[in-house]
Amino acid sequence: FRDDAWQAASPLVADDTATPPFNRQQMSVTYGGPLRRDRLFWFAAGEFRHQDGGILVGTRDPAARTIPRGFADAPLRDGLWSMRVDSAGQANRLKLRYAGQWATDTSSSAGERAMGSATQRQEAMNRYHSVLGGWTMAPSGSFVNDLSVSVSTFYNRTLPLTQQPQLTFPSLVDGASFRMPQETLQTRLQIVDSATRIRGA
């Protein structure tokens, strides 16, 4: 757990810039054990983060012809988790795995050479799921066959927080980023079978 008491102003900005807001709660848990003694086991783990921060932005003031600096909200929520089940047979061993990710964050899309405005912020979302199953068969001491099947999906979506044209100035990038919106969806199926036979000594 962390809050503003541990936060300091960036050395890269003027001394009169306020300390950026920031707090985070991050926690994890793991647990596992036998489902059947010496035969079947399970394990699970998860990690979750809840963060509220601020990013340095500029806001155009046409009347005063200035670009005052300030901080805009930059929340972050994400989670990672995995689960597995394993059997420990003599001739046959089975395994099942699952892993997932969930993440949503708000950040700035301005380039490195210019400070972004509050409208340059973007919201990104990631979703990932993967399932893997495996069967290892050893009917004899000289032959082993290993079969694995996995299915995974990945989805990413990045959207601008405002719908405006991008305006680029020497010291500020304003409006919505021209890179947005963007979206990626991938689904992958993989099947692998490996057979090994030992002959002789």
Side-chain angles (χ1 to χ4, degrees), residues 18-194:
T19 301
F22 185 88
N23 68 77
R24 176 196 292 158
Q25 298 84 43
Q26 187 169 351
M27 58 210 75
S28 62
V29 61
T30 60
Y31 199 79
L35 293 172
R36 184 178 178 187
R37 184 178 178 85
D38 298 330
R39 297 287 293 178
L40 190 63
F41 307 89
W42 73 280
F43 179 81
E47 182 173 341
F48 305 92
R49 180 171 49 170
H50 184 282
Q51 178 175 302
D52 289 313
I55 53 177
L56 184 65
V57 297
T59 304
R60 284 187 297 128
D61 186 349
R65 296 186 177 183
T66 60
I67 305 175
R69 297 187 180 195
F71 294 98
D73 294 336
L76 171 63
R77 314 283 184 262
D78 63 358
L80 297 167
W81 52 87
S82 63
M83 292 174 280
R84 59 186 290 175
V85 177
D86 296 274
S87 71
Q90 292 295 327
N92 293 278
R93 297 194 177 192
L94 300 175
K95 63 181 178 182
L96 181 64
R97 310 276 192 272
Y98 168 75
Q101 179 202 23
W102 174 88
T104 302
D105 71 281
T106 300
S107 60
S108 175
S109 59
E112 297 179 358
R113 294 180 296 176
M115 177 175 60
S117 70
T119 61
Q120 269 279 304
R121 291 178 301 155
Q122 61 194 26
E123 183 180 74
M125 180 186 73
N126 286 324
R127 301 290 186 269
Y128 172 77
H129 300 281
S130 174
V131 178
L132 167 67
W135 175 27
T136 301
M137 178 181 63
S140 67
S142 61
F143 178 78
V144 176
N145 189 81
D146 186 70
L147 172 66
S148 295
V149 179
S150 68
V151 179
S152 62
T153 61
F154 171 74
Y155 176 63
N156 168 267
R157 185 187 68 195
T158 306
L159 301 175
L161 294 185
T162 59
Q163 298 294 330
Q164 301 179 22
Q166 177 170 306
L167 305 175
T168 304
F169 301 94
S171 60
L172 178 71
V173 179
D174 197 8
S177 172
F178 67 87
R179 301 184 183 94
M180 308 303 149
Q182 55 180 280
E183 187 175 33
T184 301
L185 176 61
Q186 294 178 340
T187 301
R188 175 176 294 179
L189 170 65
Q190 185 173 14
I191 302 174
V192 178
D193 186 81
S194 301

